[in-house]
């Protein structure tokens, strides 16, 4: 929407009071967050979120050259929303030895990455030294890459094995190469959803406390929100408000990533796939409510490249990365999702969306390369996997 038209549209619509607050940089309340979720006016939500997004990042859209490693799919948590862990009629069990991880990284050595994203299930047979060796192996094999690893759930398991205070464990992991933490495991930060969907996993309070401890020892983290299952609109607002409060305390969150729930292969497979409308609303409301989060990521792997492109006008300033391989939900969606995009495809996708692509590292430092002319596609419309 043209900026002048957008302003006029917002000033005269039912969200005009929220528009005034956004323009003044004022914080939105719980009730206002709920009104945003109750609104059917996606254009208004997008235009509002875009004001907040462009005030911070102008026309930039960030992307990263990254690789995912999921070192085991054995897990003792039994989360009802998950299809990744090994179970009867599900994926075959595997646990990678540190040598397997080294070999995997060697196999993809020709693919340039600046970030390794490593998460997995909770396999109780793994020892504390396994986790340390895992980091050592990644660091030794791809020393140039930043290691973003272990969700709060894994950290709590690692701490249990280490039998030390969390801050001490985090410092030890840091000494072995850990540089930041991904945002997984947050799901929906309310006890009700916790007790129904992931009762054996950490509580909301534990997730938040672990994230804050990481921030305090100098490890930035992300935060996700898994939406489109059994959560209420109120719970979506509570979730982001808990994140906002934590961020006020420690300022260690880098990015908010709404994750669209994909029910195939899970214990709640009757729940339909989220829609593009819901995906864009989650991004837009995330941007509007999380006034203290620097970045909002549209994870193309989950919401499709097509929706991730649109999301760049609905509050997102980051599209994630090349990925190489994603297993958390891929196994179930094998027929119609791609696992990786080339840097050229990502850049093309951002250009076609009308934004300026900016390669970043894991800390959002901009990377400017001498060979950037080679990365630019001849025409922005490069072939992309579009189906969900
Ligand atoms: O915590 C599990 C989610 C998360 C399903 O920090 C599912 O940059 C949808 O956290 N449908 C792990 N989602 C992935 C994650 C992540 C992804 C991309 C970037 C970053 C980042 C973090 O995946 C889990 C859970 O919330 N998940 N099962 C499912 N069926």
């Amino acid at each position: 929407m043209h900026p002048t038209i957008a302003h006029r549209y917002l000033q005269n619509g039912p969200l005009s009071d929220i528009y005034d607050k956004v323009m003044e940089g004022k914080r939105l309340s719980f009730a206002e967050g709920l009104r945003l979720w109750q609104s059917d006016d996606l254009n208004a939500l997008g235009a509002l979120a875009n004001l907040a997004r462009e005030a911070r990042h102008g026309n930039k859209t960030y992307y990263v050259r990254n690789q995912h490693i999921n070192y085991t799919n054995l897990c003792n948590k039994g989360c009802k929303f998950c299809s990744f862990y090994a179970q009867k009629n599900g994926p075959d069990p595997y646990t990678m030895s540190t040598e397997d991880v080294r070999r995997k990284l060697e196999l993809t050595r020709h693919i340039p990455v600046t970030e390794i994203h490593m998460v997995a299930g909770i396999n109780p047979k793994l020892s504390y030294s396994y986790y340390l060796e895992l980091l050592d192996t990644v660091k030794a094999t791809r020393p140039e890459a930043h290691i973003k690893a272990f969700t709060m759930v894994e950290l709590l398991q690692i701490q249990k094995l280490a039998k030390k205070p969390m801050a001490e464990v985090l410092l030890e992991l840091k000494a072995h190469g850990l540089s930041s933490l991904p945002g997984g495991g947050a799901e929906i930060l309310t006890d009700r959803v916790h007790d129904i969907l992931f009762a054996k996993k950490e509580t909301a309070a534990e997730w938040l406390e672990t994230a804050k401890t990481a921030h305090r020892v100098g490890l930035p983290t992300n935060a996700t929100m898994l939406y489109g299952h059994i959560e209420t609109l109120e719970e979506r607002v509570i979730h982001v408000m808990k994140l906002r409060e934590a961020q006020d305390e420690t300022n260690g969150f880098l990015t908010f990533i709404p994750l669209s729930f994909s029910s195939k292969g899970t214990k709640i497979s009757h729940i339909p796939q989220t829609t593009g409308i819901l995906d864009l609303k989650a991004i837009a409301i995330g941007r509007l409510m999380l006034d203290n989060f620097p970045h909002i990521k549209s994870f193309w792997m989950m919401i499709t490249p097509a929706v991730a492109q649109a999301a760049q006008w609905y509050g997102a300033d980051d599209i994630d990365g090349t990925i190489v391989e994603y297993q958390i939900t891929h196994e179930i969606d094998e027929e119609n999702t791609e696992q990786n995009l080339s840097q050229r495809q990502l850049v093309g996708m951002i250009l076609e969306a009308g934004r300026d692509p900016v390669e970043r590292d894991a800390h959002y430092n901009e990377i400017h390369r001498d060979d950037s002319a080679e990365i630019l596609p001849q025409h922005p419309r490069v072939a992309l996997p579009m189906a969900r």
Side-chain angles (χ1 to χ4, degrees):
M1 211 185 290
H2 186 278
T4 319
I5 302 173
H7 283 280
R8 244 183 256 138
Y9 182 68
L10 293 169
Q11 275 159 353
N12 296 310
L15 300 174
S16 62
D17 54 328
I18 297 184
Y19 164 79
D20 290 341
K21 284 183 95 170
V22 172
M23 289 305 286
E24 288 164 27
K26 287 195 180 144
R27 181 162 277 196
L28 302 184
S29 67
F30 174 85
E32 286 158 343
L34 196 56
R35 270 176 61 210
L36 293 175
W37 273 112
Q38 285 161 343
S39 167
D40 289 328
D41 192 344
L42 186 65
N43 282 336
L45 295 179
L48 275 173
N50 195 46
L51 291 173
R53 183 254 198 242
E54 288 189 355
R56 284 170 177 274
H57 303 293
N59 208 44
K60 290 177 184 175
T61 285
Y62 296 97
Y63 71 93
V64 63
R65 300 197 298 188
N66 60 354
Q67 175 170 9
H68 282 241
I69 302 238
N70 303 119
Y71 54 89
T72 181
N73 69 349
L74 282 167
C75 191
N76 61 9
K77 300 296 178 196
C79 301
K80 293 200 179 110
F81 60 78
C82 183
S83 61
F84 166 68
Y85 70 98
Q87 53 183 315
K88 225 170 130 198
N89 305 323
D92 289 336
Y94 74 85
T95 297
M96 294 165 80
S97 66
T98 51
E99 180 52 23
D100 294 334
V101 171
R102 193 194 61 75
R103 245 181 278 127
K104 197 173 184 78
L105 290 172
E106 286 294 354
L107 276 177
T108 47
R109 196 134 226 349
H110 58 288
I111 305 174
V113 296
T114 59
E115 178 190 280
I116 307 281
H117 179 145
M118 187 164 63
V119 294
I122 305 299
N123 174 355
K125 295 220 169 102
L126 297 177
S127 63
Y128 184 45
S129 59
Y130 171 86
Y131 289 98
L132 297 179
E133 280 164 30
L134 206 52
L135 292 170
D136 293 341
T137 304
V138 177
K139 205 72 223 165
T141 319
R142 301 288 315 240
E144 72 284 12
H146 165 116
I147 307 179
K148 179 174 84 177
F150 308 138
T151 60
M152 307 309 154
V153 197
E154 287 159 284
L155 280 182
L156 287 160
Q157 170 69 8
I158 297 171
Q159 185 206 7
K160 197 168 125 192
L161 297 166
K163 301 188 181 74
K164 294 177 193 172
M166 183 56 88
E168 244 178 75
V169 174
L170 284 162
L171 286 170
E172 200 154 3
L173 297 173
K174 208 173 162 192
H176 284 258
L178 182 68
S179 291
S180 70
L181 271 65
E187 323 312 358
I188 287 285
L189 295 169
T190 68
D191 291 342
R192 187 192 76 89
V193 178
H194 172 267
D195 295 351
I196 299 174
L197 290 190
F198 50 102
K200 289 197 203 154
K201 234 161 64 169
E202 87 292 344
T203 61
E206 285 167 330
W207 191 93
L208 288 162
E209 200 42 54
T210 311
K212 287 190 284 183
T213 309
H215 302 164
R216 289 189 188 107
V217 302
L219 285 166
T221 77
N222 291 335
T224 55
M225 174 176 86
L226 185 69
Y227 64 91
H229 43 87
I230 61 156
E231 83 287 2
T232 62
L233 300 188
E234 285 82 357
E235 283 170 328
R236 289 180 194 156
V237 184
I238 291 170
H239 181 91
V240 291
M241 289 192 67
K242 284 188 179 173
L243 294 176
R244 192 168 76 179
E245 258 170 51
Q247 180 75 330
D248 277 344
E249 274 183 56
T250 54
N251 201 28
F253 289 113
L254 282 174
T255 316
F256 174 64
I257 310 141
L259 291 174
S260 60
F261 174 57
S262 171
S263 71
K264 210 165 160 192
T266 71
K267 293 198 175 106
I268 45 173
S269 58
H270 60 284
I271 295 180
Q273 181 63 47
T274 64
T275 60
I277 302 285
L278 181 56
D279 297 337
L280 291 174
K281 277 178 99 168
I283 296 272
I285 298 169
R287 178 65 286 167
L288 288 165
M289 292 300 290
L290 292 170
D291 56 358
N292 53 5
F293 270 58
H295 301 281
I296 306 290
K297 183 186 285 187
S298 54
F299 185 38
W300 68 261
M301 178 75 218
M302 289 305 300
I303 59 174
T304 74
V307 177
Q309 276 183 308
Q312 302 313 310
W313 293 90
Y314 286 78
D317 60 279
D318 187 349
I319 208 154
D320 201 66
T322 46
I323 295 181
V324 181
E325 188 179 21
Y326 190 69
Q327 287 171 305
I328 302 291
T329 48
H330 186 74
E331 233 120 19
I332 48 173
D333 281 342
E334 214 134 13
E335 325 87 52
N336 57 9
T337 59
E338 289 290 322
Q339 288 205 307
N340 66 78
L341 289 177
S342 67
Q343 187 172 9
R344 188 180 287 254
Q345 282 175 307
L346 267 180
V347 166
M349 182 170 147
I350 297 166
L351 285 172
E352 197 195 21
R355 295 298 195 188
D356 303 330
V358 177
E359 186 183 348
R360 65 165 177 88
D361 67 13
H363 294 285
Y364 284 85
N365 297 307
E366 296 187 8
I367 298 177
H368 299 281
R369 297 179 189 276
D370 295 341
D371 64 352
S372 57
E374 287 164 35
I375 294 160
L376 286 178
Q378 296 288 310
H379 187 283
R381 233 192 122 71
V382 288
L384 292 171
M386 287 299 177
R388 196 193 291 265

